[in-house]
Amino acid sequence: MRKKPVSFDTPTVKTNNPLRTSSKKMEPGVDPMDPEFREMENFKNIDDNEDREDTAVNTEGFGPWFSILYRPQKTLRRILLADSGKDVFLLTYLEGYAFSLSQAMTRNQGDDFTVIGIFLWSILSAFIYMLFKIYGLGSVLYWSGKWLGGSNRVDDIRGALAWSSVPNVWGLVFWIGAFCLLLEELFR
C-alpha cells in the first residue's frame, strides 16, 4: 500500500510518543501534546479496518488488568495516553514479590528458612526489585532510546515496563492456591 504524499503547506501532527504517529494535517495553533487533542486523536491510526468500538479499551478499574492479557498493544496505548504513572509502583512491586517467591521455591530455601521468613524476605526483595526495574531499567531503556533517536518520555517507558508485568502478577493467584494446598512443602 502506497503512502499518500504529505502537503507541506499545513503542519502535520508530530508526537513524542512512538506508539502513536500521525501524518494527519492539523489546524494552526493546535498543540499535539495537549491532553484534549491527544484524547481526540486516540487510536485513529491503529488499523483502518477496525471499528472505533473494537479499539476502545476500558482503562477504568480492573479493565486494563484483563484487557492487557488479550489486547496488550491497544491497552498499553490507551494507558499511556491516559495516565502512564498510575499503578506503576504497585505492578512492579507485585511482580517482584512473585519473582522472589519463585526464586525461593526453585532454590529450595524452605530447607534453610521458615515459611514466614521466606514471605518476609520476599516483601523486602520485592521493594528492591521494584526500585531496580522502575528507576534502573527504566533509565537504561530511556537513555538507550534517546541514543538511538527515540523521543519517548521516561514516564511512558516506566509505564510500559510496569504494565508488561501484569501476566506475572496474575501468577500470584496461583501462588495463593499452591500455598494453600502444599504449605511448607512448596519451598522444599
Side-chain angles (χ1 to χ4, degrees), residues 8-172:
F8 292 103
D9 57 347
T10 306
T12 58
V13 176
K14 294 187 181 185
T15 68
N16 287 336
N17 190 342
L19 295 174
R20 185 177 68 89
T21 58
S22 176
S23 60
K24 189 175 181 93
K25 291 182 182 180
M26 65 181 240
E27 299 155 13
V30 175
D31 180 18
M33 293 309 292
D34 181 32
E36 289 179 18
F37 178 78
R38 289 174 75 182
E39 186 62 33
M40 210 171 44
E41 292 293 310
N42 197 8
F43 296 112
K44 288 193 177 178
N45 295 316
I46 293 175
D47 189 355
D48 294 334
N49 298 327
E50 294 181 359
D51 296 328
R52 176 101 168 122
E53 295 299 319
D54 187 41
T55 61
V57 176
N58 182 14
T59 58
E60 300 295 323
F62 284 103
W65 289 76
F66 293 108
S67 65
I68 202 157
L69 298 173
Y70 60 91
R71 290 188 178 185
Q73 186 177 14
K74 293 173 188 171
T75 304
L76 194 54
R77 283 183 184 173
R78 184 73 175 201
I79 289 167
L80 293 179
L81 287 173
D83 181 18
S84 61
K86 186 179 176 185
D87 296 331
V88 169
F89 292 101
L90 175 65
L91 282 169
T92 51
Y93 182 81
L94 291 175
E95 181 192 20
Y97 192 73
F99 178 74
S100 180
L101 288 176
S102 67
Q103 288 297 311
M105 185 182 75
T106 57
R107 295 179 183 203
N108 298 328
Q109 290 183 347
D111 296 337
D112 301 326
F113 302 103
T114 65
V115 174
I116 299 297
I118 291 172
F119 281 112
L120 291 176
W121 173 251
S122 295
I123 290 171
L124 175 65
S125 62
F127 182 73
I128 295 168
Y129 181 92
M130 176 190 68
L131 292 177
F132 172 74
K133 186 169 182 180
I134 290 176
Y135 293 109
L137 186 58
S139 298
V140 167
L141 290 175
Y142 173 74
W143 289 110
S144 62
K146 284 287 189 193
W147 181 62
L148 293 171
S151 59
N152 222 355
R153 299 178 316 171
V154 71
D155 292 338
D156 289 341
I157 292 171
R158 289 176 180 159
L161 276 173
W163 281 97
S164 69
S165 64
V166 168
N168 295 335
V169 172
W170 278 112
L172 285 174

